[in-house]
Amino acid sequence: METQIAHAPTIEIQWDRVARDVLRSRLLDELEERELAPSGEVPYQFSARGHELAQVLLAHHLGHPHDAATVYYRSRPFMLSIGLTLEEALAAGMGKAGSPSQGRDVGVVFSLPPRRGVTVLPASGDVGAQYTPAAGWAQACLYHRDVLKDADWGGSIAVALGGDGSVAANGFWSALTIATTLQLPMLFFIEDNAYGLSVPARLQTPGGDIAANLASFTGLRVLSGSGTDLDEAATLVGAAVFHVRQGDGPCLLRLTVPRLSGHTFVDNQAYKSDAEREAEARRDPLPRLEARVGEAAWQTLREELEEELRAALEGARGQDIASEEPTRHLFAPPSFPVSRAPGDGAGSQGKPGRLNLIEAVRQVMEEELASNPRAIVFGEDVGAKGGVHGATAGLQARFGDRRVFDTSLSEEGIIGRSIGLALAGLLPLPEIQFRKYADPATESINDVGTIRWRTAGAFSAPMVVRMPVGYGKKIGDPWHSVSAEAIFAHTLGWRIAYPSNAADAAGLYRTALRCQDPVLFLEHRFLLDAGAARRTDPGSDFHLPFGQASRLMDGDRLTLVTWGAMVYPAQEAAERFPGAVDLLDLRTICPWDAAGVLDSVRRTGKVLVVHEDTWTAGFAGEILATVAAEAFSDLDAPPRRLTTPDVPIPYNLELMRKVLPDVEQVAAAIADLVAF
């Protein structure tokens, strides 16, 4: 851990400008705490009193056209210093139409397109979720410079701002691993106020000092000191930014600051002693700034800013309440291409022979890597090994380890990094090795789906996340055989593909690559090399729109809806009832083909949904609820579903067969409904 800095250039600090930005933030906090929060005009108030100096100094060192920052709920001093206006800040707290999120998000959950050279990536309300997107942006800085040969990105950096409480979070350690192993231009800017909510630092990290603990961390420069002593803070911030911008790898800067207010305005800090509060008050950076710029100049500045703040308050109060349609911006406007038959169009007519599902996906992925230099593939074992299922076999050898690379065993790191990469203009194509392994990334998965909505369309993070799901050909178990697509269907903002054969996989994956929303691409393990799922190569021009089911059989007495591996037992069972079953393979879960299903049900009068996911809250419930609401008068029998019972997939093969719907069960359900 360093406190004395050598070899960093001396930068002249404009203390009058620092004083203006610091005092502007302080006056805003005081106004909200004194008037707006007690009156209810600002429902949530997170004061940054005591944190201002360090953040303002950081903001004054950024300004490269491709610098980016991820922030947290106490980062408003930084935001005001890089272009957020007082009126926008007030409107955000009030939920007004003029706020950056147009009233969608909490007033201190920020994002901002560049105004003074800094892009503020969409923040998360989750503690610690800001770190991995910053690592992704930092990796993109090097990719743009070294792979895409864009010299404009040279010297750009990513900064993640966080409190000391956030260093206990999964995202912090994931990002630390990414940044240090890849030597990324990333600054971890830790504001240590000795408390996470009401929890003291000694319970957040051993010894209460993350810098001391990381002093010998390989590949990381660690700096630590006061965030309220003017000269020391300025020296440390300048040295940290210089180190990262020079390309010397990541840096962690820990600055001690007082939290002069509670966690929120309703927190009376009863957990602090009077002596502790008095000691914190003595560390307030404002009296030191006042002494630096002079009492007269300070008073003049205060009067000027108070007038500016009152004008901003009137402007915010005069804005309309956010009244825009709240469902807008969850997804990009529909842009799925029109369906084409295999071989149609100007593209390749396909190779002779039949592809299995995983070969079809790999072929499309290879085409994309060859034609789109912004596409990158990464995940666990995807590099030299070629993926545990062979989906990326040979791709690293052809495209190099900057474009096809292995990651640490951290799904939070994989998805969180993807956010930063996507926001920086790249196309991330990550692989999650098995569906169950996505669980540690739940926070980032939830966050990325709502980025477009939370920023009122200002930001989006398109990516295609491939993920094997379901039971295997020779084995099952509770960890590698999870399907659980209904959980993802309930995760806002994601498109979800679930192909049942090689041709559909190729067509849907090709469409996913052009989608402006994040896409979860689910590949059933049983089907990866199954003979039944093999198809003739449809050619490089073949693509399928999402939300368009495939009709596999025509019938007039029952609509059978299914997807994934259940297509095959459903089809075998339906063949026992010639002309009776209208068999639909959904192919995509979000969007799903409600119109196609309803049209079929209105003709047949009966519906059966079969899926591998469990019964309770499975996606069949959504389909049957829609049928009941929209086609109730057309039904001649109760809507029915056949699913796995509410248990995990067992390891023992015989037990596994007992829980999975099979041909006989599907046939029995069809017979019951046809005879009803």
Side-chain angles (χ1 to χ4, degrees):
M1 174 173 57
E2 301 176 53
T3 56
Q4 299 300 316
I5 308 303
H7 310 302
T10 301
I11 299 175
E12 186 68 30
I13 303 297
Q14 299 177 22
W15 288 108
D16 56 342
R17 182 179 162 211
V18 172
R20 173 177 290 276
D21 287 345
V22 167
L23 187 54
R24 179 191 290 117
S25 177
R26 178 63 63 89
L27 292 175
L28 177 55
D29 272 330
E30 289 176 348
L31 173 65
E32 289 180 336
E33 290 178 279
R34 184 179 63 249
E35 298 181 27
L36 305 183
S39 70
E41 280 189 90
V42 174
Y44 282 170
Q45 206 283 332
F46 292 81
S47 177
R49 292 198 300 127
H51 286 239
E52 302 99 339
L53 175 66
Q55 292 185 26
V56 169
L57 288 169
L58 173 65
H60 289 194
H61 279 84
L62 302 181
H64 187 291
H66 297 298
D67 281 348
T70 55
V71 297
Y72 72 119
Y73 51 80
R74 224 173 295 285
S75 297
R76 195 165 62 183
F78 175 83
M79 297 297 303
L80 291 168
S81 299
I82 55 94
L84 184 75
T85 68
L86 283 173
E87 185 171 330
E88 285 175 325
L90 285 160
M94 296 174 175
K96 293 296 190 74
S99 68
S101 75
Q102 296 182 13
R104 288 170 165 78
D105 211 338
V106 177
V108 291
V109 178
F110 296 109
S111 66
L112 200 67
R115 290 184 179 176
R116 298 179 186 170
V118 185
T119 300
V120 178
L121 308 187
S124 170
D126 300 315
V127 173
Q130 69 267 42
Y131 293 105
T132 48
W137 185 282
Q139 185 173 357
C141 291
L142 299 186
Y143 190 91
H144 278 283
R145 185 194 70 186
D146 299 338
V147 179
L148 298 180
K149 306 301 181 184
D150 187 346
D152 289 346
W153 283 77
S156 57
I157 69 172
V159 182
L161 288 79
D164 56 287
S166 67
V167 304
N170 184 8
F172 172 80
W173 294 99
S174 296
L176 195 63
T177 298
I178 295 168
T180 52
T181 56
L182 298 180
Q183 285 295 283
L184 299 180
M186 178 174 175
L187 173 58
F188 295 80
F189 190 84
I190 307 302
E191 303 159 48
D192 190 343
N193 62 30
Y195 280 90
L197 309 180
S198 66
V199 180
R202 61 182 173 79
L203 298 178
Q204 300 285 351
T205 192
D209 184 348
I210 190 64
N213 294 345
L214 293 175
S216 61
F217 204 89
T218 300
L220 178 71
R221 188 178 189 189
V222 179
L223 302 173
S224 183
S226 171
T228 58
D229 180 283
L230 274 58
D231 295 319
E232 182 178 347
T235 300
L236 287 167
V237 172
V241 173
F242 178 76
H243 172 87
V244 177
R245 204 178 292 287
Q246 286 295 107
D248 294 329
C251 177
L252 181 139
L253 172 60
R254 169 186 174 258
L255 294 172
T256 56
V257 296
R259 195 185 73 193
L260 300 177
S261 299
H263 172 64
T264 68
F265 81 101
V266 296
D267 175 11
N268 64 10
Q269 302 196 86
Y271 44 86
K272 292 182 180 179
S273 67
D274 291 341
E276 188 175 2
R277 293 197 198 188
E278 291 169 4
E280 287 185 326
R282 288 194 296 271
R283 294 167 55 218
D284 187 345
L286 260 69
R288 305 178 191 193
L289 262 180
E290 182 178 357
R292 179 64 58 94
V293 301
E295 183 179 352
W298 184 265
Q299 184 58 34
T300 299
L301 177 60
R302 185 181 187 93
E303 292 171 358
E304 179 184 330
L305 289 174
E306 285 177 342
E307 184 176 342
E308 181 183 326
L309 182 57
R310 284 295 169 183
L313 177 59
E314 291 308 306
R317 282 173 168 164
Q319 290 182 18
D320 293 333
I321 298 295
S323 58
E324 187 189 53
E325 173 53 51
T327 59
R328 283 191 66 210
H329 300 303
L330 184 63
F331 293 108
S335 58
F336 296 121
V338 176
S339 177
R340 293 181 180 173
D344 286 356
S348 162
Q349 299 301 300
K351 301 172 185 176
R354 291 166 69 80
L355 294 173
N356 66 21
L357 193 150
I358 205 66
E359 289 169 342
V361 171
R362 181 173 62 246
Q363 185 169 292
V364 175
M365 200 184 317
E366 188 169 10
E367 291 171 1
E368 184 67 16
L369 286 165
S371 63
N372 180 6
R374 294 176 180 269
I376 51 177
V377 175
F378 51 96
E380 298 157 10
D381 295 321
V382 306
K385 183 178 177 67
V388 296
H389 304 290
T392 57
L395 296 185
Q396 187 179 82
R398 177 177 177 186
F399 298 102
D401 61 6
R402 298 293 293 272
R403 301 195 61 204
V404 181
F405 56 89
D406 291 320
T407 68
S408 58
L409 304 188
S410 169
E411 284 71 26
E412 158 61 25
I414 291 171
I415 302 299
R417 175 201 323 231
S418 297
I419 297 173
L421 290 166
L423 292 170
L426 303 183
L427 177 57
L429 305 177
E431 176 183 300
I432 300 294
Q433 204 166 82
F434 293 94
R435 162 67 185 87
K436 182 72 173 67
Y437 295 176
D439 290 355
T442 298
E443 186 172 74
S444 287
I445 290 172
N446 284 325
D447 285 352
V448 68
T450 58
I451 281 176
R452 184 187 295 275
W453 182 87
R454 288 185 286 116
T455 63
F459 290 88
S460 63
M463 63 184 71
V464 185
V465 182
R466 293 180 36 260
M467 196 180 306
V469 300
Y471 66 94
K473 290 178 71 173
K474 299 179 180 179
I475 199 71
D477 69 65
W479 312 107
H480 299 85
S481 304
V482 176
S483 182
E485 65 272 12
I487 294 174
F488 288 145
H490 194 69
T491 303
L492 300 174
W494 284 88
R495 304 289 190 182
I496 304 170
Y498 201 155
S500 66
N501 62 73
D504 285 0
L508 292 171
Y509 193 57
R510 196 169 279 115
T511 296
L513 292 169
R514 298 293 168 263
C515 186
Q516 293 305 301
D517 300 307
V519 178
L520 288 162
F521 195 85
L522 308 182
E523 301 161 358
H524 199 286
R525 289 202 300 147
F526 179 82
L527 301 178
L528 296 180
D529 190 31
R534 293 182 178 229
R535 296 290 186 275
T536 302
D537 182 355
S540 62
D541 194 52
F542 179 57
H543 47 244
L544 291 171
F546 282 29
Q548 185 178 99
S550 173
R551 176 170 280 107
L552 303 180
M553 296 177 63
D554 292 319
D556 58 10
R557 302 185 66 188
L558 169 69
T559 298
L560 199 167
V561 181
T562 189
W563 54 89
M566 288 296 106
V567 164
Y568 298 96
Q571 188 165 9
E572 185 177 341
E575 287 170 351
R576 300 180 184 180
F577 304 86
V581 179
D582 213 35
L583 177 60
L584 300 180
D585 174 2
L586 279 189
R587 301 196 290 202
T588 64
I589 302 299
C590 184
W592 66 282
D593 190 358
V597 170
L598 289 170
D599 177 70
S600 176
V601 171
R602 289 176 179 130
R603 288 186 290 103
T604 67
K606 299 172 183 178
V607 61
L608 168 66
V609 181
V610 179
H611 65 59
E612 182 181 333
D613 201 356
T614 50
W615 176 282
T616 301
F619 198 67
E622 177 66 24
I623 296 170
L624 297 183
T626 299
V627 168
E630 301 294 331
F632 181 79
S633 60
D634 298 292
L635 291 173
D636 297 323
R640 184 168 172 182
R641 55 185 156 171
L642 177 60
T643 76
T644 298
D646 289 340
V647 296
I649 300 297
Y651 178 61
N652 178 277
L653 278 178
E654 185 58 34
L655 293 178
M656 183 179 79
R657 294 188 185 103
K658 287 182 178 181
V659 301
L660 291 172
D662 62 17
V663 174
E664 296 305 321
Q665 290 174 310
V666 179
I670 293 173
D672 286 348
L673 280 170
V674 168
F676 187 88

